[in-house]
Amino acid sequence: MPIGCFAILLPTDSDYKILGYYFKEHKSDFEVTSDLFLRLNLDHSKNEFNLLKLKEFHRIFSYFYKFKGKLSRNAIGIIIGLLLNEDDKPEKFRSALKEAAEAFEMPSLNILKNSKDEFEIILKDIYLEHLEPLIDILQPDALRASIKNITKFMISGGKKERTIAQELLQKIEDGEHTKISDYYNTAETSLKSSDYEKAAKFYNKAAELAEKLYLMDISTSLKEKGSFSQQVPEFSKERERVVQEARNALRNEEFHSAYMHYRKASELSKKLVEFDKEEEYRLKSKALEDFYNVDQKYRKK
């Protein structure tokens, strides 16, 4: 379970603005210092997703969202970060983090004018709606409660809304919502066994059913996971090819080619949200780059 989250606005006319923090269970001394912001900003100049290891807090998994609507006139975008515990897997929060960042561009919010206290209330709502582990939100009891909350608003509406509310209540009595959990669990199991095609299929089946039950945020998150699952084989195959090219270059003492290929493998690992592999290939690339530069220096003498 993540410790909490934070959000940083990148205005067009100034450096940056800490919008606020939310901590799940208790107060925390964590803050985004200028040094930490510089590290995050540098990493996000190259990648949408980033994992940063800190001494005081285990890890920060962050996402940079570039504004596309009216907000883009006043701000470049927003960095939203999750403070992870050691046993939290970043890839589990990939789609949720993206959705949470996109939520800040909703017309009903005005993050440019909200005070920090006002924004932190908004951030708490976004955390609870988007960043709670998806597996908790998709428990049958949680799904049932979410659908019932939706029907409460519909019942107070017009005839059409009341009819939909009655249909939804009947569907949860028939256990339709439990199929979402079943499909999700099948997708997760398939993902662990590297059956990405099956995983994508069942994420999408769960997403379609969630949409029919008016669980739109959950549906969006599941669709994102399905889309990502379909991309994994392509990225993985490309990384395997690039790593083999790096090894071949190393055997032939082509150090420049080797470090460039390992750098590419590092970038692909970041897209796959596999940060252990990202670190491995990045460090290999750096070591070979240093070796290449020293080798070139002394060859000229």
Side-chain angles (χ1 to χ4, degrees), residues 64-77:
F64 170 63
Y65 176 65
K66 188 174 182 179
F67 291 141
K68 304 178 184 68
K70 291 181 180 179
L71 274 174
S72 62
R73 300 171 189 170
N74 302 103
I76 299 167

Side-chain angles (χ1 to χ4, degrees), residues 161-194:
E161 285 76 16
R162 290 196 298 273
T163 300
I164 293 171
Q166 291 298 328
E167 290 173 353
L168 286 174
L169 289 170
Q170 185 58 54
K171 285 178 180 179
I172 60 176
E173 285 305 312
D174 294 340
E176 283 291 295
H177 61 292
T178 64
K179 294 178 183 178
I180 298 175
S181 301
D182 293 339
Y183 292 153
Y184 175 76
N185 290 334
T186 300
E188 288 286 286
T189 301
S190 302
L191 196 63
K192 288 175 183 176
S193 61
S194 300

Side-chain angles (χ1 to χ4, degrees), residues 112-174:
L112 296 171
K113 294 182 179 180
N114 285 120
S115 69
K116 187 176 179 184
D117 288 342
E118 289 171 330
F119 180 81
E120 287 183 343
I121 295 171
I122 296 168
L123 187 59
K124 177 182 177 181
D125 290 340
I126 286 175
Y127 179 92
L128 295 175
E129 185 175 350
H130 295 281
L131 296 175
E132 287 274 42
L134 192 58
I135 193 168
D136 295 339
I137 299 171
L138 292 179
Q139 293 298 321
D141 288 346
L143 289 170
R144 186 186 184 93
S146 295
I147 296 168
K148 280 194 170 183
N149 285 334
I150 292 168
T151 62
K152 288 177 184 177
F153 290 103
M154 287 184 166
I155 286 172
S156 62
K159 183 179 179 180
K160 182 179 179 181
E161 285 76 16
R162 290 196 298 273
T163 300
I164 293 171
Q166 291 298 328
E167 290 173 353
L168 286 174
L169 289 170
Q170 185 58 54
K171 285 178 180 179
I172 60 176
E173 285 305 312
D174 294 340

Side-chain angles (χ1 to χ4, degrees), residues 10-244:
L10 305 179
T12 54
D13 59 353
S14 59
D15 196 1
Y16 67 97
K17 177 184 177 183
I18 308 299
L19 291 174
Y21 305 88
Y22 170 69
F23 300 102
K24 176 69 176 174
E25 295 180 354
H26 51 76
K27 291 285 185 180
S28 173
D29 294 331
F30 172 81
E31 67 172 334
V32 178
T33 63
S34 57
D35 287 344
L36 177 54
F37 167 74
L38 287 173
R39 292 176 67 185
L40 287 168
N41 198 35
L42 180 61
D43 287 337
H44 283 299
S45 66
K46 301 175 183 176
N47 301 283
E48 290 181 329
F49 291 95
N50 185 61
L51 184 70
L52 193 60
K53 297 180 181 179
L54 302 178
K55 292 179 181 178
E56 300 85 356
F57 293 83
H58 295 300
R59 294 169 301 166
I60 294 175
F61 183 43
S62 55
Y63 175 73
F64 170 63
Y65 176 65
K66 188 174 182 179
F67 291 141
K68 304 178 184 68
K70 291 181 180 179
L71 274 174
S72 62
R73 300 171 189 170
N74 302 103
I76 299 167
I78 192 169
I79 295 173
I80 183 166
L82 265 181
L83 303 173
L84 299 181
N85 280 303
E86 196 168 342
D87 56 347
D88 289 325
K89 296 182 178 179
E91 61 270 21
K92 295 289 184 183
F93 301 96
R94 181 185 181 277
S95 58
L97 198 59
K98 183 177 180 181
E99 288 164 27
E102 290 171 349
F104 291 111
E105 206 172 23
M106 291 191 299
S108 58
L109 298 181
N110 192 339
I111 60 176
L112 296 171
K113 294 182 179 180
N114 285 120
S115 69
K116 187 176 179 184
D117 288 342
E118 289 171 330
F119 180 81
E120 287 183 343
I121 295 171
I122 296 168
L123 187 59
K124 177 182 177 181
D125 290 340
I126 286 175
Y127 179 92
L128 295 175
E129 185 175 350
H130 295 281
L131 296 175
E132 287 274 42
L134 192 58
I135 193 168
D136 295 339
I137 299 171
L138 292 179
Q139 293 298 321
D141 288 346
L143 289 170
R144 186 186 184 93
S146 295
I147 296 168
K148 280 194 170 183
N149 285 334
I150 292 168
T151 62
K152 288 177 184 177
F153 290 103
M154 287 184 166
I155 286 172
S156 62
K159 183 179 179 180
K160 182 179 179 181
E161 285 76 16
R162 290 196 298 273
T163 300
I164 293 171
Q166 291 298 328
E167 290 173 353
L168 286 174
L169 289 170
Q170 185 58 54
K171 285 178 180 179
I172 60 176
E173 285 305 312
D174 294 340
E176 283 291 295
H177 61 292
T178 64
K179 294 178 183 178
I180 298 175
S181 301
D182 293 339
Y183 292 153
Y184 175 76
N185 290 334
T186 300
E188 288 286 286
T189 301
S190 302
L191 196 63
K192 288 175 183 176
S193 61
S194 300
D195 190 343
Y196 300 108
E197 185 176 344
K198 186 176 180 180
K201 176 184 175 181
F202 278 90
Y203 281 134
N204 288 329
K205 281 171 73 75
E208 288 170 9
L209 184 52
E211 188 172 343
K212 288 178 181 177
L213 295 175
Y214 286 77
L215 299 168
M216 299 308 182
D217 289 329
I218 289 175
S219 177
T220 300
S221 183
L222 289 165
K223 285 178 183 176
E224 169 68 20
K225 289 182 76 68
S227 176
F228 180 66
S229 297
Q230 289 176 316
Q231 292 177 325
V232 168
E234 180 184 344
F235 287 146
S236 297
K237 187 176 180 179
E238 175 65 8
R239 184 179 63 185
E240 186 179 335
R241 183 191 68 78
V242 169
V243 168
Q244 189 56 54

